[in-house]
Amino acid sequence: MSPPSAAIHRLLSSMSTPPSHEAPTGQIPDTPPESLTTEAGDDDYGGELEAVRRKEYPQLFNASSLLTTVFLDHGGSTLYAASYVRAQAEEMLTTIPANPHSNHPGSQWTREKIEQVRDRLLGFFGTTSRDYALIFTANATAAIRLAGELTPISKDGTFCYTSSAHTSVVGLRGIAAELGATVRPVEFGDLDGIIQPEHANRVSLVAYPAQCNFSGERFPWDVADKVARRFPANTDANRAKGDGAHPPWWVLVDAAAYASSSPLSLGALHTGPDFVAVSMYKIFGAPTGVGALLVRRSSIPFLRSKRFFGGGTVNMISYDLMLQEFRAEIEARLEDGTVNFQAIVSLHHALDAHARNFGSMTRVKLHTSSITRYAVSSLKRLCHDNGRPLCTIYGHCGAEFGPIVALNLRDANGGYIGYIEVERLAVMSGIAMRTGRFCNPGAARRWLDLTTPDLIRYASLGYTCGDDNDVIAGKPVGAIRISFGAMTSREDVDRLVAFLIRHFHNYAGLQESTKPNTVKSAPVETRIDKCAGPGRSPSTGLQVTVNQVVIYPVKSCHGWSVPCDTPWEITPSGLRYDRSFVIMRENYSIPMQQKRYPRMALIRPRLADKQLILNAPDHESLVISLDPALLCLEATQSMVCGSRMQTYRVLSSEISAWLTSVLGVECYLACDPRLLLPLATDGHLPLSPPSSLTNIRPTPVPHTAKRSEMSFANESQILLVTLESAQRVSDWISEEQDAGGSAAVVGASFGPLQYRPNVVVKSASPGARHAREILPFEELKWTGVAIGNSHFQVSGPCRRCQMIAIDQDSARSLKEPYSTLARRMRVDGKVVFGVYLDIINEATGFAQKASASKIQPGMVIDVSL
């Protein structure tokens, strides 16, 4: 159970108020907020909110979940009501909605329902069919695109979009540029200086959001009215009399974010926009696949002619002549093909449920505004004991803001905490939020100071939107977004605050004694002691014992522990056969990963007699040859951590069918045959398959890049963990469980193999020359490891993801050990455990003798400190 509001208030009140610092531009200054009760207000639909939540949104209280859900991603999509689902299901079972282009009773009924919904939606948006036409589209993006295609932008015109515009609005610049218009990104405050009479002879378009989907900042609806006042000869009144023309500036408002929590009230505007784009699921939760473009009636005669048209839009058409006559009604003329009629008809039930549960959008706005003030006040009070604020909030000062709060977290030293780590922990705690840049490049530039040169530099380094790189060189490249809806409660905010306090309050990173060395910036010769050559130990080193050696023949599947009596070969790509295979989806370039497909943990490999044997529950064993000459291969491509990898599909219907049956998705096995070949005489893998492998089909697309001498492993050839560090984390989890922590870890075991290492080491016995007890996490300070004549640099700590919270025996998703690591083990805002080992290719060559390039459980290896 989450703590009640009163408990949160007491906890927040006990925190020291941050000292006064000058706040960065656009961010909340560090001043004490007013009383939470005063800030928040007490609106909850007359005390009915909790009853509505219990009755209409049972998905928030799913008894089969580990936790009830705190849903704070209403900016992405809000929740649908149970009564909507029931009414829609009942109607589908008792009526026959049919294609409205036919004429039988089912079609006639559907046409009538669609027109009724159209009228109801116009009323919902505060207007009527006299002033606006409502065109159904696939979504708000399709509505925006349609508006761009219909605007008669002239070759000497301008397309202006504001810095807070969604990517879908920015995307209109392609249409404008194709027409020869000037593309001009601007700040909203600059529009007054741009919409001037000297531009009267050009046809231009200005597009902006009513509410920024990144920060929640809201913008006035009066741009179209300013256009009308500055070009009085082009007013609606004059056009109604047959005089004048359309003003030279057309106005498009993206209202998808705004309309989800506020009334549009288009009828209250003196002059409304030419176009307004909205999305239905953002308002009602369902149905998806339906958006709408509202077109001002007085603008219709001046629309640009359609280039494409679909079925149902014409009165007549000739197939061999450029001859067609469009329907007179703008709705029929612009709704190409068959509309999503079942979803559109269901909007009757969505409108009914919304009105029954919340009354009106005015009440929704009051409620979400109250919740937003309450959340901002709570977040502003969060600070570490040294007075530094925990949250950096973007916006919510000065201008009007909607129910969206974008923020990043900072540790007690002022450093940023990676938002990916925050989201992963939130998911495990039953809290839904969104992270990233939210398809809003201009807002990201403004609030995160993320310049175009920054983006170009990051892209050149292989970073892409949506990857796991959240803090680069100490600077966040995205944010956390929490957004509220009609059914959000204060308890949701309280649980968010409690989550932040539990996991991030007073966190200051690792202590100096366990912080990793910055080995990546040092030259190779300084990372490994020069004295640690063949047959010699590091001059100031340590000896440790290999406890386990683990191979993962198929990336992201279960590991296989090398028997204690078996020496295992080390190759330039890592341990022999480690991650030599991947499982791929059809038409996907990124290999499947266990964090998305947990059942991969159930695939247990075994290596024997040059064969890979796969086992899975309720399936016969699958035997795969490790001789590439016996595999039928077809060249393909894959991407591993942003780098292209030479990959070959194993052409076997039996293997593909077995994997598909186990994982429940259509997939196939792939490999890099170089990783299956014996070492060449010089100790290096061949860079291309030998010509003797005639069973390999060429690929029509050449590989433009590859990862030099690496397997399908993500970052490095070998991952090492210590038994002592794993035990310390296990002790932490046990301590928290004994103190009344989550029961989600009861019965679970968190030994070193939970972290999917290749090598597990432990303290050497006292008989070793440089033996002593390994301190937990001291491996983060190691600089190198020598295994016989094979030398490795410790290239850095391993950043961990939620995969380590998947039980490798049952494929169940757990909170631990990731949750505990996230609170205790962060480096530069990243959750870490274990260290990467990279092979150093010395002048003497790699592993000239087989005995010098093998590792075995029980052997003693040297560590450089």
Side-chain angles (χ1 to χ4, degrees):
M1 290 292 293
S2 60
S5 297
I8 290 293
H9 291 181
R10 290 193 297 272
L11 188 56
L12 293 175
S13 298
S14 68
M15 292 184 173
S16 60
T17 300
S20 178
H21 299 293
E22 185 176 350
T25 302
Q27 297 176 5
I28 289 185
D30 299 324
T31 54
E34 299 177 15
S35 162
L36 287 179
T37 304
T38 302
E39 273 295 301
D42 58 356
D43 177 75
D44 63 352
Y45 307 104
E48 296 296 321
L49 177 60
E50 188 59 27
V52 169
R53 281 163 57 89
R54 293 281 176 178
K55 179 181 179 181
E56 288 281 42
Y57 303 97
Q59 58 267 48
L60 294 174
F61 309 95
N62 188 346
S64 65
S65 300
L66 292 175
L67 295 167
T68 56
T69 299
V70 176
F71 190 82
L72 299 176
D73 188 26
H74 294 269
S77 61
T78 194
L79 304 178
Y80 51 81
S83 60
Y84 159 81
V85 176
R86 297 187 186 100
Q88 166 69 350
E90 179 65 23
E91 186 170 72
M92 294 290 288
L93 293 171
T94 57
T95 60
I96 305 178
N99 192 316
H101 293 162
S102 299
N103 286 313
H104 53 74
S107 298
Q108 295 174 7
W109 179 88
T110 303
R111 279 199 303 273
E112 292 173 3
K113 286 291 184 180
I114 289 173
E115 295 311 311
Q116 290 170 9
V117 167
R118 202 187 304 273
D119 288 342
R120 288 190 67 182
L121 285 173
L122 286 168
F124 186 81
F125 297 134
T127 187
T128 68
S129 59
R130 178 180 177 179
D131 295 323
Y132 275 91
L134 188 145
I135 316 301
F136 287 114
T137 61
N139 46 39
T141 295
I144 291 167
R145 176 179 177 176
L146 180 59
E149 292 173 342
L150 293 174
T151 303
I153 303 175
S154 62
K155 187 173 183 179
D156 57 353
T158 302
F159 169 53
C160 284
Y161 59 91
T162 63
S163 62
S164 293
H166 189 275
T167 296
S168 298
V169 172
V170 177
L172 290 179
R173 66 190 182 189
I175 296 176
E178 188 178 73
L179 295 172
T182 300
V183 175
R184 186 174 178 182
V186 299
E187 296 298 329
F188 184 85
D190 296 334
L191 289 178
D192 276 354
I194 294 171
I195 303 173
Q196 294 296 334
E198 57 263 29
H199 299 147
N201 295 323
R202 310 169 189 172
V203 179
S204 301
L205 171 66
V206 58
Y208 70 95
Q211 176 178 296
C212 174
N213 73 303
F214 185 106
S215 66
E217 184 175 4
R218 289 183 164 174
F219 302 93
W221 283 80
D222 63 353
V223 174
D225 188 53
K226 289 180 179 179
V227 170
R229 285 188 280 108
R230 291 179 183 179
F231 301 93
N234 309 106
T235 62
D236 287 354
N238 286 338
R239 290 196 297 274
K241 294 186 297 182
D243 301 328
H246 192 284
W249 283 94
W250 290 61
V251 179
L252 162 63
V253 177
D254 173 12
Y258 181 93
S260 65
S261 58
S262 293
L264 292 191
S265 305
L266 293 176
L269 300 175
H270 186 271
T271 302
D274 298 284
F275 305 108
V276 179
V278 293
S279 172
M280 299 305 152
Y281 72 84
K282 289 186 181 292
I283 303 171
F284 307 113
T288 58
V290 181
L293 179 67
L294 284 82
V295 183
R296 196 173 66 195
R297 289 281 180 185
S298 60
S299 301
I300 291 174
F302 307 96
L303 295 177
R304 185 172 177 230
S305 298
K306 293 180 61 176
R307 288 173 293 173
F308 171 84
F309 55 90
T313 64
V314 295
N315 289 323
M316 65 81 66
I317 182 172
S318 169
Y319 93 96
D320 58 347
L321 297 178
M322 293 291 287
L323 176 63
Q324 62 274 334
E325 179 185 303
F326 292 108
R327 295 192 181 276
E329 302 83 6
I330 187 68
E331 296 87 353
R333 195 158 77 238
L334 296 181
E335 291 172 354
D336 293 305
T338 302
V339 296
N340 191 350
F341 59 89
Q342 292 179 354
I344 292 172
V345 169
S346 78
L347 283 167
H348 273 301
H349 308 301
L351 285 159
D352 290 342
H354 194 276
R356 184 168 53 249
N357 293 330
F358 309 116
S360 68
M361 287 303 296
T362 299
R363 296 190 70 190
V364 171
K365 180 179 180 180
L366 288 172
H367 173 71
T368 54
S369 297
S370 172
I371 290 292
T372 304
R373 290 193 299 271
Y374 180 65
V376 170
S377 294
S378 300
L379 294 171
K380 286 170 63 177
R381 287 199 171 193
L382 292 177
C383 56
H384 303 286
D385 285 352
N386 63 5
R388 291 184 180 271
L390 174 62
C391 302
T392 293
I393 299 176
Y394 304 109
H396 290 274
C397 52
E400 180 185 358
F401 285 80
I404 290 175
V405 181
L407 69 150
N408 269 304
L409 302 185
R410 307 184 86 149
D411 62 27
N413 295 322
Y416 284 100
I417 298 171
Y419 54 82
I420 295 294
E421 318 296 351
V422 179
E423 184 180 33
R424 288 170 177 167
L425 274 174
V427 169
M428 294 178 184
S429 300
I431 300 174
M433 58 175 61
R434 185 165 173 178
T435 61
R437 297 197 287 272
F438 324 123
C439 300
N440 198 314
R445 183 202 63 176
R446 174 188 176 186
W447 297 110
L448 302 174
D449 190 25
L450 198 61
T451 65
T452 296
D454 288 336
L455 294 175
I456 294 173
R457 184 170 65 256
Y458 298 156
S460 70
L461 296 173
Y463 302 146
T464 61
C465 185
D467 64 17
D468 286 351
N469 296 292
D470 47 12
V471 178
I472 302 176
K475 180 178 179 179
V477 295
I480 301 161
R481 186 183 74 181
I482 56 174
S483 49
F484 314 115
M487 66 293 300
T488 304
S489 71
R490 286 201 190 187
E491 184 183 17
D492 291 334
V493 176
D494 291 343
R495 285 190 55 189
L496 170 70
V497 170
F499 159 77
L500 295 178
I501 292 172
R502 171 174 169 77
H503 291 282
F504 304 105
H505 178 234
N506 281 341
Y507 185 80
L510 297 178
Q511 297 300 315
E512 191 63 37
S513 61
T514 55
K515 283 185 179 179
N517 288 315
T518 55
V519 299
K520 288 189 176 180
S521 61
V524 169
E525 59 268 20
T526 67
R527 300 178 210 161
I528 294 290
D529 194 315
K530 291 182 179 180
C531 297
R536 290 177 290 177
S537 299
S539 58
T540 57
L542 169 70
Q543 289 187 309
V544 298
T545 299
V546 176
N547 186 58
Q548 287 178 286
V549 178
V550 187
I551 310 299
Y552 303 88
V554 184
K555 180 181 174 69
S556 265
C557 292
H558 204 284
W560 177 70
S561 293
V562 175
C564 292
D565 59 353
T566 304
W568 200 259
E569 186 178 14
I570 301 173
T571 77
S573 63
L575 299 180
R576 185 76 156 142
Y577 298 128
D578 185 56
R579 296 173 175 89
S580 296
F581 293 89
V582 290
I583 302 175
M584 305 283 293
R585 295 287 310 275
E586 288 287 353
N587 301 315
Y588 284 74
S589 62
I590 299 177
M592 294 175 64
Q593 298 178 351
Q594 192 182 124
K595 59 186 177 183
R596 288 196 61 189
Y597 302 94
R599 287 185 58 83
M600 295 181 76
L602 301 178
I603 298 178
R604 292 175 170 268
R606 180 165 57 90
L607 296 169
D609 302 324
K610 295 185 179 181
Q611 292 180 324
L612 170 62
I613 304 167
L614 301 182
N615 291 283
D618 304 320
H619 288 74
E620 297 289 334
S621 296
L622 179 68
V623 179
I624 302 168
S625 174
L626 292 176
D627 183 352
L630 299 179
L631 298 174
C632 186
L633 304 175
E634 180 180 59
T636 182
Q637 299 182 49
S638 68
M639 297 290 290
V640 178
C641 289
S643 298
R644 187 166 295 177
M645 183 80 180
Q646 188 173 10
T647 310
Y648 293 82
R649 177 173 183 160
V650 179
L651 297 174
S652 168
S653 58
E654 177 189 2
I655 294 174
S656 298
W658 191 91
L659 293 172
T660 297
S661 176
V662 173
L663 300 178
V665 295
E666 188 173 350
C667 54
Y668 63 88
L669 190 69
C671 70
D672 183 345
R674 301 177 306 146
L675 303 175
L676 306 180
L677 295 169
L679 284 174
T681 55
D682 64 354
H684 289 271
L685 292 173
L687 296 182
S688 60
S691 58
S692 60
L693 295 183
T694 57
N695 54 323
I696 296 179
R697 299 180 185 177
T699 176
V701 181
H703 291 280
T704 58
K706 63 181 180 60
R707 308 163 83 221
S708 177
E709 295 189 344
M710 276 193 66
S711 68
F712 289 104
N714 282 352
E715 300 285 348
S716 190
Q717 286 106 331
I718 291 176
L719 173 62
L720 178 146
V721 305
T722 70
L723 191 64
E724 287 76 6
S725 297
Q727 184 59 51
R728 175 59 59 87
V729 177
S730 183
D731 291 343
W732 284 338
I733 295 171
S734 298
E735 291 167 5
E736 293 195 6
Q737 185 177 332
D738 293 342
S742 172
V745 301
V746 174
S749 175
F750 302 109
L753 298 189
Q754 187 68 30
Y755 305 96
R756 299 180 60 81
N758 291 115
V759 178
V760 181
V761 299
K762 64 180 180 180
S763 302
S765 62
R769 286 176 300 160
H770 298 283
R772 64 167 171 79
E773 183 178 350
I774 297 175
L775 300 177
F777 314 116
E778 76 163 272
E779 64 272 19
L780 297 177
K781 297 287 287 184
W782 295 351
T783 60
V785 173
I787 305 173
N789 282 349
S790 302
H791 294 170
F792 302 82
Q793 69 183 33
V794 177
S795 58
C798 175
R799 182 181 181 183
R800 309 318 302 236
C801 68
Q802 64 268 36
M803 187 186 294
I804 63 171
I806 298 173
D807 183 78
Q808 295 299 296
D809 294 324
S810 66
R812 288 188 305 139
S813 293
L814 306 171
K815 290 177 60 179
E816 300 293 357
Y818 184 84
S819 179
T820 293
L821 281 180
R823 291 194 301 277
R824 307 250 192 169
M825 290 294 297
R826 291 199 200 98
V827 173
D828 296 329
K830 317 295 187 186
V831 178
V832 301
F833 187 86
V835 292
Y836 286 127
L837 302 185
D838 284 339
I839 294 172
I840 296 177
N841 292 315
E842 296 182 336
T844 55
F846 179 87
Q848 296 298 318
K849 298 180 180 179
S851 61
S853 59
K854 293 186 178 180
I855 186 172
Q856 182 176 356
M859 73 183 298
V860 176
I861 62 176
D862 296 317
V863 173
S864 294
L865 303 178

